Amino acid sequence: MKRFGFLSLSVITCFLLMFTSCLDSNGNRQQGSCYAVAGTNSSYTNTVLYTSGWGALASNSMGSFSPGKCYIVAFEINYDEQPADASTNGYVYAAFSGSEEVPFTNRGEALSLNNDFAPRENELLISNAGIADLVKNHLFLEVISKQADKETVRYDLYYNRDSTSVGTNNEKIYNLYLVAEGGSSERTKEVGERVVCKIDSFWNWAANEEIDNDLVYVCLKYVKSVDDAGNIEWGETKMVSIANDKKKS
């Protein structure tokens, strides 16, 4: 898993459908950074990066990005140098100044469970976690956990159709459960990581359950502690809302 400094996660953003960026503007130029999913576009021969806040980004130097993989990227868009047909192609050209691949969770997709969670043999405790972005049903997560030096960690994301919550305004909340497993028992170092997980099956279920509603409410839960009897204490993020693209018209 890609690791980054603990301080960069001192404040974890818990919102969806907005870009994670340090936005600057200069005339008709904009600089930003965000999460992205690499894919293809019928109007463009090279790979494009799909984002939640910037649309699809293209560049003549897209060879470093592979379709199906996910990234966090920094870029600049010069709106004065866009092709004449840019507005109809469904993407904009950007100059990329940096990128880092974001690894998938161990199984790559949120899995459905029909029973209660039990602690794993080498359960890794998660100090904090947050939903950073959602792009084309890829959920980007930022996680802080206590690990041993150079420990290999496997994250997985689950959901349980029988486990929903009720919000303060009687919203039905659909829970996702983040768990982690490592290979050591002596963990002393706080480590921050980014991971991504596809949530197609979870979204098909939750969005269709809310087919008459504009929004779907989601909460991320994570294993914060396990007592001697094997009981799990779950940490959780604030409820977030996602526009329901399956709403009945």
Side-chain angles (χ1 to χ4, degrees), residues 83-116:
D85 59 352
S87 60
T88 60
N89 282 339
Y91 57 84
V92 295
Y93 279 95
F96 293 93
S97 56
S99 66
E100 182 179 285
E101 185 177 343
V102 179
F104 279 88
T105 52
N106 184 40
R107 290 178 174 84
E109 184 166 351
L111 302 177
S112 175
L113 283 184
N114 298 320
N115 51 8
D116 293 332

PDB file of all heavy atoms in Angstrom, residues 83-116:
ATOM      1  N   PRO A  83      -8.365  22.418 -27.656  1.00  0.00           N
ATOM      2  CA  PRO A  83      -8.792  22.264 -29.054  1.00  0.00           C
ATOM      3  C   PRO A  83     -10.176  22.863 -29.274  1.00  0.00           C
ATOM      4  O   PRO A  83     -10.982  22.973 -28.339  1.00  0.00           O
ATOM      5  CB  PRO A  83      -8.819  20.742 -29.243  1.00  0.00           C
ATOM      6  CG  PRO A  83      -7.970  20.197 -28.149  1.00  0.00           C
ATOM      7  CD  PRO A  83      -8.097  21.146 -27.001  1.00  0.00           C
ATOM      8  N   ALA A  84     -10.453  23.211 -30.505  1.00  0.00           N
ATOM      9  CA  ALA A  84     -11.735  23.845 -30.818  1.00  0.00           C
ATOM     10  C   ALA A  84     -12.914  22.945 -30.483  1.00  0.00           C
ATOM     11  O   ALA A  84     -13.995  23.425 -30.130  1.00  0.00           O
ATOM     12  CB  ALA A  84     -11.769  24.235 -32.293  1.00  0.00           C
ATOM     13  N   ASP A  85     -12.724  21.625 -30.595  1.00  0.00           N
ATOM     14  CA  ASP A  85     -13.823  20.702 -30.337  1.00  0.00           C
ATOM     15  C   ASP A  85     -13.797  20.137 -28.922  1.00  0.00           C
ATOM     16  O   ASP A  85     -14.469  19.149 -28.627  1.00  0.00           O
ATOM     17  CB  ASP A  85     -13.808  19.560 -31.346  1.00  0.00           C
ATOM     18  CG  ASP A  85     -12.493  18.776 -31.295  1.00  0.00           C
ATOM     19  OD1 ASP A  85     -11.567  19.214 -30.590  1.00  0.00           O
ATOM     20  OD2 ASP A  85     -12.404  17.728 -31.975  1.00  0.00           O
ATOM     21  N   ALA A  86     -13.033  20.765 -28.023  1.00  0.00           N
ATOM     22  CA  ALA A  86     -12.876  20.224 -26.670  1.00  0.00           C
ATOM     23  C   ALA A  86     -14.212  20.125 -25.939  1.00  0.00           C
ATOM     24  O   ALA A  86     -14.470  19.161 -25.215  1.00  0.00           O
ATOM     25  CB  ALA A  86     -11.910  21.083 -25.864  1.00  0.00           C
ATOM     26  N   SER A  87     -15.073  21.109 -26.135  1.00  0.00           N
ATOM     27  CA  SER A  87     -16.331  21.129 -25.389  1.00  0.00           C
ATOM     28  C   SER A  87     -17.267  19.999 -25.802  1.00  0.00           C
ATOM     29  O   SER A  87     -18.146  19.612 -25.037  1.00  0.00           O
ATOM     30  CB  SER A  87     -17.032  22.476 -25.588  1.00  0.00           C
ATOM     31  OG  SER A  87     -17.321  22.691 -26.954  1.00  0.00           O
ATOM     32  N   THR A  88     -17.090  19.454 -26.997  1.00  0.00           N
ATOM     33  CA  THR A  88     -17.973  18.386 -27.468  1.00  0.00           C
ATOM     34  C   THR A  88     -17.350  17.004 -27.316  1.00  0.00           C
ATOM     35  O   THR A  88     -18.040  15.994 -27.494  1.00  0.00           O
ATOM     36  CB  THR A  88     -18.349  18.604 -28.947  1.00  0.00           C
ATOM     37  OG1 THR A  88     -17.150  18.610 -29.741  1.00  0.00           O
ATOM     38  CG2 THR A  88     -19.086  19.917 -29.129  1.00  0.00           C
ATOM     39  N   ASN A  89     -16.067  16.936 -26.992  1.00  0.00           N
ATOM     40  CA  ASN A  89     -15.387  15.646 -26.874  1.00  0.00           C
ATOM     41  C   ASN A  89     -15.585  14.977 -25.523  1.00  0.00           C
ATOM     42  O   ASN A  89     -15.301  13.791 -25.361  1.00  0.00           O
ATOM     43  CB  ASN A  89     -13.887  15.805 -27.133  1.00  0.00           C
ATOM     44  CG  ASN A  89     -13.578  15.914 -28.616  1.00  0.00           C
ATOM     45  OD1 ASN A  89     -14.381  15.507 -29.447  1.00  0.00           O
ATOM     46  ND2 ASN A  89     -12.432  16.485 -28.940  1.00  0.00           N
ATOM     47  N   GLY A  90     -16.015  15.740 -24.540  1.00  0.00           N
ATOM     48  CA  GLY A  90     -16.234  15.165 -23.219  1.00  0.00           C
ATOM     49  C   GLY A  90     -14.995  15.114 -22.353  1.00  0.00           C
ATOM     50  O   GLY A  90     -14.977  14.385 -21.355  1.00  0.00           O
ATOM     51  N   TYR A  91     -13.955  15.847 -22.698  1.00  0.00           N
ATOM     52  CA  TYR A  91     -12.755  15.908 -21.865  1.00  0.00           C
ATOM     53  C   TYR A  91     -12.040  17.223 -22.108  1.00  0.00           C
ATOM     54  O   TYR A  91     -12.324  17.939 -23.074  1.00  0.00           O
ATOM     55  CB  TYR A  91     -11.809  14.739 -22.163  1.00  0.00           C
ATOM     56  CG  TYR A  91     -11.373  14.644 -23.607  1.00  0.00           C
ATOM     57  CD1 TYR A  91     -10.304  15.392 -24.087  1.00  0.00           C
ATOM     58  CD2 TYR A  91     -12.029  13.804 -24.497  1.00  0.00           C
ATOM     59  CE1 TYR A  91      -9.900  15.322 -25.417  1.00  0.00           C
ATOM     60  CE2 TYR A  91     -11.640  13.716 -25.828  1.00  0.00           C
ATOM     61  CZ  TYR A  91     -10.575  14.480 -26.275  1.00  0.00           C
ATOM     62  OH  TYR A  91     -10.188  14.406 -27.591  1.00  0.00           O
ATOM     63  N   VAL A  92     -11.108  17.556 -21.209  1.00  0.00           N
ATOM     64  CA  VAL A  92     -10.259  18.734 -21.386  1.00  0.00           C
ATOM     65  C   VAL A  92      -8.809  18.287 -21.302  1.00  0.00           C
ATOM     66  O   VAL A  92      -8.486  17.288 -20.651  1.00  0.00           O
ATOM     67  CB  VAL A  92     -10.541  19.823 -20.329  1.00  0.00           C
ATOM     68  CG1 VAL A  92     -11.946  20.372 -20.477  1.00  0.00           C
ATOM     69  CG2 VAL A  92     -10.318  19.299 -18.917  1.00  0.00           C
ATOM     70  N   TYR A  93      -7.926  19.037 -21.975  1.00  0.00           N
ATOM     71  CA  TYR A  93      -6.496  18.760 -21.913  1.00  0.00           C
ATOM     72  C   TYR A  93      -5.904  19.367 -20.650  1.00  0.00           C
ATOM     73  O   TYR A  93      -6.246  20.483 -20.259  1.00  0.00           O
ATOM     74  CB  TYR A  93      -5.793  19.318 -23.143  1.00  0.00           C
ATOM     75  CG  TYR A  93      -5.899  18.434 -24.357  1.00  0.00           C
ATOM     76  CD1 TYR A  93      -6.902  18.641 -25.300  1.00  0.00           C
ATOM     77  CD2 TYR A  93      -5.006  17.384 -24.564  1.00  0.00           C
ATOM     78  CE1 TYR A  93      -7.014  17.828 -26.421  1.00  0.00           C
ATOM     79  CE2 TYR A  93      -5.110  16.574 -25.680  1.00  0.00           C
ATOM     80  CZ  TYR A  93      -6.110  16.795 -26.598  1.00  0.00           C
ATOM     81  OH  TYR A  93      -6.216  15.986 -27.702  1.00  0.00           O
ATOM     82  N   ALA A  94      -4.989  18.618 -20.027  1.00  0.00           N
ATOM     83  CA  ALA A  94      -4.321  19.084 -18.817  1.00  0.00           C
ATOM     84  C   ALA A  94      -2.847  18.710 -18.892  1.00  0.00           C
ATOM     85  O   ALA A  94      -2.471  17.725 -19.534  1.00  0.00           O
ATOM     86  CB  ALA A  94      -4.961  18.461 -17.576  1.00  0.00           C
ATOM     87  N   ALA A  95      -2.011  19.495 -18.237  1.00  0.00           N
ATOM     88  CA  ALA A  95      -0.586  19.181 -18.104  1.00  0.00           C
ATOM     89  C   ALA A  95      -0.370  18.628 -16.695  1.00  0.00           C
ATOM     90  O   ALA A  95      -0.680  19.305 -15.707  1.00  0.00           O
ATOM     91  CB  ALA A  95       0.255  20.433 -18.319  1.00  0.00           C
ATOM     92  N   PHE A  96       0.123  17.399 -16.601  1.00  0.00           N
ATOM     93  CA  PHE A  96       0.282  16.741 -15.308  1.00  0.00           C
ATOM     94  C   PHE A  96       1.678  16.990 -14.750  1.00  0.00           C
ATOM     95  O   PHE A  96       2.677  16.777 -15.432  1.00  0.00           O
ATOM     96  CB  PHE A  96       0.006  15.253 -15.435  1.00  0.00           C
ATOM     97  CG  PHE A  96      -1.428  14.940 -15.766  1.00  0.00           C
ATOM     98  CD1 PHE A  96      -1.831  14.775 -17.083  1.00  0.00           C
ATOM     99  CD2 PHE A  96      -2.374  14.852 -14.761  1.00  0.00           C
ATOM    100  CE1 PHE A  96      -3.154  14.518 -17.399  1.00  0.00           C
ATOM    101  CE2 PHE A  96      -3.701  14.588 -15.065  1.00  0.00           C
ATOM    102  CZ  PHE A  96      -4.093  14.428 -16.384  1.00  0.00           C
ATOM    103  N   SER A  97       1.716  17.426 -13.493  1.00  0.00           N
ATOM    104  CA  SER A  97       2.997  17.717 -12.842  1.00  0.00           C
ATOM    105  C   SER A  97       3.389  16.655 -11.821  1.00  0.00           C
ATOM    106  O   SER A  97       4.508  16.661 -11.295  1.00  0.00           O
ATOM    107  CB  SER A  97       2.938  19.081 -12.154  1.00  0.00           C
ATOM    108  OG  SER A  97       1.854  19.145 -11.239  1.00  0.00           O
ATOM    109  N   GLY A  98       2.493  15.755 -11.511  1.00  0.00           N
ATOM    110  CA  GLY A  98       2.814  14.697 -10.558  1.00  0.00           C
ATOM    111  C   GLY A  98       1.669  13.708 -10.460  1.00  0.00           C
ATOM    112  O   GLY A  98       0.511  14.050 -10.706  1.00  0.00           O
ATOM    113  N   SER A  99       2.004  12.468 -10.118  1.00  0.00           N
ATOM    114  CA  SER A  99       0.965  11.453  -9.956  1.00  0.00           C
ATOM    115  C   SER A  99       1.484  10.342  -9.065  1.00  0.00           C
ATOM    116  O   SER A  99       2.691  10.120  -8.943  1.00  0.00           O
ATOM    117  CB  SER A  99       0.545  10.874 -11.311  1.00  0.00           C
ATOM    118  OG  SER A  99       1.607  10.151 -11.902  1.00  0.00           O
ATOM    119  N   GLU A 100       0.557   9.643  -8.433  1.00  0.00           N
ATOM    120  CA  GLU A 100       0.876   8.486  -7.610  1.00  0.00           C
ATOM    121  C   GLU A 100      -0.271   7.491  -7.736  1.00  0.00           C
ATOM    122  O   GLU A 100      -1.440   7.868  -7.616  1.00  0.00           O
ATOM    123  CB  GLU A 100       1.050   8.895  -6.153  1.00  0.00           C
ATOM    124  CG  GLU A 100       1.421   7.764  -5.217  1.00  0.00           C
ATOM    125  CD  GLU A 100       1.605   8.258  -3.791  1.00  0.00           C
ATOM    126  OE1 GLU A 100       2.634   8.897  -3.511  1.00  0.00           O
ATOM    127  OE2 GLU A 100       0.703   8.004  -2.969  1.00  0.00           O
ATOM    128  N   GLU A 101       0.058   6.240  -7.995  1.00  0.00           N
ATOM    129  CA  GLU A 101      -0.989   5.230  -8.100  1.00  0.00           C
ATOM    130  C   GLU A 101      -1.573   4.931  -6.724  1.00  0.00           C
ATOM    131  O   GLU A 101      -0.850   4.858  -5.727  1.00  0.00           O
ATOM    132  CB  GLU A 101      -0.431   3.948  -8.715  1.00  0.00           C
ATOM    133  CG  GLU A 101      -1.501   2.895  -8.973  1.00  0.00           C
ATOM    134  CD  GLU A 101      -0.955   1.645  -9.644  1.00  0.00           C
ATOM    135  OE1 GLU A 101       0.169   1.709 -10.202  1.00  0.00           O
ATOM    136  OE2 GLU A 101      -1.637   0.608  -9.599  1.00  0.00           O
ATOM    137  N   VAL A 102      -2.884   4.777  -6.663  1.00  0.00           N
ATOM    138  CA  VAL A 102      -3.565   4.412  -5.428  1.00  0.00           C
ATOM    139  C   VAL A 102      -3.928   2.934  -5.522  1.00  0.00           C
ATOM    140  O   VAL A 102      -4.645   2.526  -6.439  1.00  0.00           O
ATOM    141  CB  VAL A 102      -4.840   5.262  -5.222  1.00  0.00           C
ATOM    142  CG1 VAL A 102      -5.551   4.848  -3.930  1.00  0.00           C
ATOM    143  CG2 VAL A 102      -4.487   6.751  -5.184  1.00  0.00           C
ATOM    144  N   PRO A 103      -3.451   2.103  -4.600  1.00  0.00           N
ATOM    145  CA  PRO A 103      -3.698   0.662  -4.701  1.00  0.00           C
ATOM    146  C   PRO A 103      -5.126   0.297  -4.313  1.00  0.00           C
ATOM    147  O   PRO A 103      -5.778   0.973  -3.515  1.00  0.00           O
ATOM    148  CB  PRO A 103      -2.700   0.073  -3.709  1.00  0.00           C
ATOM    149  CG  PRO A 103      -2.519   1.152  -2.692  1.00  0.00           C
ATOM    150  CD  PRO A 103      -2.602   2.442  -3.438  1.00  0.00           C
ATOM    151  N   PHE A 104      -5.599  -0.804  -4.870  1.00  0.00           N
ATOM    152  CA  PHE A 104      -6.908  -1.321  -4.515  1.00  0.00           C
ATOM    153  C   PHE A 104      -6.830  -2.082  -3.191  1.00  0.00           C
ATOM    154  O   PHE A 104      -5.760  -2.524  -2.776  1.00  0.00           O
ATOM    155  CB  PHE A 104      -7.415  -2.265  -5.608  1.00  0.00           C
ATOM    156  CG  PHE A 104      -8.014  -1.557  -6.795  1.00  0.00           C
ATOM    157  CD1 PHE A 104      -7.214  -1.168  -7.855  1.00  0.00           C
ATOM    158  CD2 PHE A 104      -9.376  -1.276  -6.833  1.00  0.00           C
ATOM    159  CE1 PHE A 104      -7.762  -0.521  -8.953  1.00  0.00           C
ATOM    160  CE2 PHE A 104      -9.929  -0.628  -7.920  1.00  0.00           C
ATOM    161  CZ  PHE A 104      -9.131  -0.241  -8.988  1.00  0.00           C
ATOM    162  N   THR A 105      -7.985  -2.228  -2.557  1.00  0.00           N
ATOM    163  CA  THR A 105      -8.068  -3.102  -1.399  1.00  0.00           C
ATOM    164  C   THR A 105      -7.741  -4.534  -1.832  1.00  0.00           C
ATOM    165  O   THR A 105      -7.651  -4.845  -3.018  1.00  0.00           O
ATOM    166  CB  THR A 105      -9.475  -3.063  -0.790  1.00  0.00           C
ATOM    167  OG1 THR A 105     -10.450  -3.325  -1.813  1.00  0.00           O
ATOM    168  CG2 THR A 105      -9.768  -1.698  -0.173  1.00  0.00           C
ATOM    169  N   ASN A 106      -7.582  -5.420  -0.849  1.00  0.00           N
ATOM    170  CA  ASN A 106      -7.114  -6.775  -1.119  1.00  0.00           C
ATOM    171  C   ASN A 106      -7.961  -7.484  -2.179  1.00  0.00           C
ATOM    172  O   ASN A 106      -7.431  -8.087  -3.124  1.00  0.00           O
ATOM    173  CB  ASN A 106      -7.135  -7.567   0.197  1.00  0.00           C
ATOM    174  CG  ASN A 106      -6.569  -8.974   0.052  1.00  0.00           C
ATOM    175  OD1 ASN A 106      -5.581  -9.181  -0.639  1.00  0.00           O
ATOM    176  ND2 ASN A 106      -7.203  -9.922   0.694  1.00  0.00           N
ATOM    177  N   ARG A 107      -9.280  -7.398  -2.058  1.00  0.00           N
ATOM    178  CA  ARG A 107     -10.161  -8.071  -3.021  1.00  0.00           C
ATOM    179  C   ARG A 107     -10.661  -7.135  -4.107  1.00  0.00           C
ATOM    180  O   ARG A 107     -11.302  -7.570  -5.054  1.00  0.00           O
ATOM    181  CB  ARG A 107     -11.331  -8.725  -2.289  1.00  0.00           C
ATOM    182  CG  ARG A 107     -10.906  -9.918  -1.450  1.00  0.00           C
ATOM    183  CD  ARG A 107     -12.088 -10.522  -0.693  1.00  0.00           C
ATOM    184  NE  ARG A 107     -11.716 -11.744  -0.004  1.00  0.00           N
ATOM    185  CZ  ARG A 107     -11.144 -11.788   1.192  1.00  0.00           C
ATOM    186  NH1 ARG A 107     -10.875 -10.649   1.817  1.00  0.00           N
ATOM    187  NH2 ARG A 107     -10.847 -12.939   1.760  1.00  0.00           N
ATOM    188  N   GLY A 108     -10.422  -5.854  -3.959  1.00  0.00           N
ATOM    189  CA  GLY A 108     -10.704  -4.912  -5.032  1.00  0.00           C
ATOM    190  C   GLY A 108     -12.112  -4.380  -5.079  1.00  0.00           C
ATOM    191  O   GLY A 108     -12.364  -3.338  -5.692  1.00  0.00           O
ATOM    192  N   GLU A 109     -13.063  -5.073  -4.469  1.00  0.00           N
ATOM    193  CA  GLU A 109     -14.462  -4.646  -4.506  1.00  0.00           C
ATOM    194  C   GLU A 109     -15.116  -4.919  -3.153  1.00  0.00           C
ATOM    195  O   GLU A 109     -14.771  -5.883  -2.462  1.00  0.00           O
ATOM    196  CB  GLU A 109     -15.225  -5.372  -5.610  1.00  0.00           C
ATOM    197  CG  GLU A 109     -16.665  -4.899  -5.745  1.00  0.00           C
ATOM    198  CD  GLU A 109     -17.325  -5.361  -7.030  1.00  0.00           C
ATOM    199  OE1 GLU A 109     -16.610  -5.904  -7.904  1.00  0.00           O
ATOM    200  OE2 GLU A 109     -18.544  -5.169  -7.162  1.00  0.00           O
ATOM    201  N   ALA A 110     -16.071  -4.049  -2.779  1.00  0.00           N
ATOM    202  CA  ALA A 110     -16.806  -4.256  -1.539  1.00  0.00           C
ATOM    203  C   ALA A 110     -17.614  -5.538  -1.638  1.00  0.00           C
ATOM    204  O   ALA A 110     -18.327  -5.766  -2.614  1.00  0.00           O
ATOM    205  CB  ALA A 110     -17.719  -3.065  -1.266  1.00  0.00           C
ATOM    206  N   LEU A 111     -17.503  -6.392  -0.624  1.00  0.00           N
ATOM    207  CA  LEU A 111     -18.149  -7.699  -0.634  1.00  0.00           C
ATOM    208  C   LEU A 111     -19.310  -7.733   0.347  1.00  0.00           C
ATOM    209  O   LEU A 111     -19.261  -7.114   1.415  1.00  0.00           O
ATOM    210  CB  LEU A 111     -17.139  -8.792  -0.266  1.00  0.00           C
ATOM    211  CG  LEU A 111     -15.898  -8.895  -1.162  1.00  0.00           C
ATOM    212  CD1 LEU A 111     -14.965  -9.970  -0.632  1.00  0.00           C
ATOM    213  CD2 LEU A 111     -16.294  -9.188  -2.598  1.00  0.00           C
ATOM    214  N   SER A 112     -20.333  -8.494  -0.009  1.00  0.00           N
ATOM    215  CA  SER A 112     -21.501  -8.625   0.849  1.00  0.00           C
ATOM    216  C   SER A 112     -21.297  -9.754   1.853  1.00  0.00           C
ATOM    217  O   SER A 112     -20.839 -10.838   1.496  1.00  0.00           O
ATOM    218  CB  SER A 112     -22.743  -8.898  -0.007  1.00  0.00           C
ATOM    219  OG  SER A 112     -23.872  -9.141   0.799  1.00  0.00           O
ATOM    220  N   LEU A 113     -21.642  -9.476   3.117  1.00  0.00           N
ATOM    221  CA  LEU A 113     -21.607 -10.484   4.166  1.00  0.00           C
ATOM    222  C   LEU A 113     -23.009 -10.654   4.738  1.00  0.00           C
ATOM    223  O   LEU A 113     -23.762  -9.688   4.848  1.00  0.00           O
ATOM    224  CB  LEU A 113     -20.653 -10.076   5.287  1.00  0.00           C
ATOM    225  CG  LEU A 113     -19.151 -10.233   5.042  1.00  0.00           C
ATOM    226  CD1 LEU A 113     -18.396  -9.856   6.307  1.00  0.00           C
ATOM    227  CD2 LEU A 113     -18.798 -11.654   4.635  1.00  0.00           C
ATOM    228  N   ASN A 114     -23.332 -11.864   5.128  1.00  0.00           N
ATOM    229  CA  ASN A 114     -24.654 -12.129   5.685  1.00  0.00           C
ATOM    230  C   ASN A 114     -24.606 -12.456   7.173  1.00  0.00           C
ATOM    231  O   ASN A 114     -25.598 -12.890   7.742  1.00  0.00           O
ATOM    232  CB  ASN A 114     -25.319 -13.299   4.934  1.00  0.00           C
ATOM    233  CG  ASN A 114     -25.535 -12.978   3.465  1.00  0.00           C
ATOM    234  OD1 ASN A 114     -25.914 -11.864   3.115  1.00  0.00           O
ATOM    235  ND2 ASN A 114     -25.282 -13.965   2.609  1.00  0.00           N
ATOM    236  N   ASN A 115     -23.456 -12.257   7.788  1.00  0.00           N
ATOM    237  CA  ASN A 115     -23.336 -12.551   9.207  1.00  0.00           C
ATOM    238  C   ASN A 115     -22.558 -11.436   9.895  1.00  0.00           C
ATOM    239  O   ASN A 115     -22.074 -10.499   9.260  1.00  0.00           O
ATOM    240  CB  ASN A 115     -22.636 -13.901   9.427  1.00  0.00           C
ATOM    241  CG  ASN A 115     -21.324 -13.990   8.654  1.00  0.00           C
ATOM    242  OD1 ASN A 115     -20.863 -13.014   8.078  1.00  0.00           O
ATOM    243  ND2 ASN A 115     -20.732 -15.170   8.643  1.00  0.00           N
ATOM    244  N   ASP A 116     -22.425 -11.545  11.213  1.00  0.00           N
ATOM    245  CA  ASP A 116     -21.699 -10.549  11.981  1.00  0.00           C
ATOM    246  C   ASP A 116     -20.196 -10.685  11.729  1.00  0.00           C
ATOM    247  O   ASP A 116     -19.690 -11.760  11.392  1.00  0.00           O
ATOM    248  CB  ASP A 116     -21.983 -10.706  13.476  1.00  0.00           C
ATOM    249  CG  ASP A 116     -23.427 -10.378  13.818  1.00  0.00           C
ATOM    250  OD1 ASP A 116     -24.024  -9.568  13.084  1.00  0.00           O
ATOM    251  OD2 ASP A 116     -23.939 -10.941  14.794  1.00  0.00           O
TER     252      ASP A 116
END
